[in-house]
Amino acid sequence: MEIIISNSSGRPIYEQICMQVKSMVMSGTLSAGEALPSMRALAKDLHISVITVQRAYEDLARDGFIETVSGKGSFVASQNKEFIKEEQLREIEGLLSKAAQAGRTNGVSYDEMAGILKMFYEE
């Protein structure tokens, strides 16, 4: 599992970890039951505090992406397809919201925006 941390990002490090793990789970790169690195190992690899990794793992567990078994470690939670689809739709809605805002700001009509979306969708 490769996680890349950017110190120049506006997002906190724990959030960057969460986003990347969620993305790997939703894309199938990480599959249900797969073990995640221990908090200490990941902290050492990324040169960050164990507390930061702990916060990320707690958030991932709260959101249902991982399960932590005391004494055994953290594992990718078995996901139902509905949950993954809902997360993917939430991500798509966010991106489309940004695109719609940019279109309105720059005077692009709804029909032009729909045409652009159709062009990318049918590629």
Side-chain angles (χ1 to χ4, degrees):
M1 180 173 83
E2 184 177 343
I3 294 180
I4 299 168
I5 299 300
S6 170
N7 290 326
S8 61
S9 170
R11 295 191 184 276
I13 293 172
Y14 75 90
E15 200 173 292
Q16 292 178 49
I17 294 169
C18 286
M19 288 174 44
Q20 290 179 53
V21 171
K22 285 179 181 181
S23 177
M24 286 185 256
V25 169
M26 290 190 301
S27 70
T29 304
L30 290 175
S31 52
E34 191 169 335
L36 296 176
S38 71
M39 290 183 209
R40 285 191 181 100
L42 186 56
K44 184 178 178 185
D45 287 347
L46 299 176
H47 304 290
I48 59 174
S49 165
V50 174
I51 294 169
T52 302
V53 176
Q54 180 181 6
R55 169 84 189 266
Y57 277 25
E58 286 172 353
D59 286 1
L60 288 164
R62 181 199 66 221
D63 293 344
F65 282 89
I66 68 169
E67 298 169 341
T68 301
V69 180
S70 187
K72 294 193 178 192
S74 297
F75 303 88
V76 176
S78 54
Q79 303 285 322
N80 66 35
K81 294 186 188 298
E82 307 290 323
F83 179 76
I84 291 175
K85 184 166 180 109
E86 186 64 34
E87 284 295 315
Q88 290 169 334
L89 286 174
R90 190 182 347 253
E91 184 178 335
I92 291 167
E93 286 171 0
L95 294 170
L96 288 174
S97 174
K98 288 179 185 177
Q101 179 62 38
R104 282 191 299 272
T105 301
N106 293 297
V108 179
S109 73
Y110 172 80
D111 289 335
E112 289 174 304
M113 289 295 289
I116 293 168
L117 177 60
K118 184 177 180 181
M119 178 182 69
F120 283 112
Y121 197 81
E122 293 177 346
E123 272 187 349

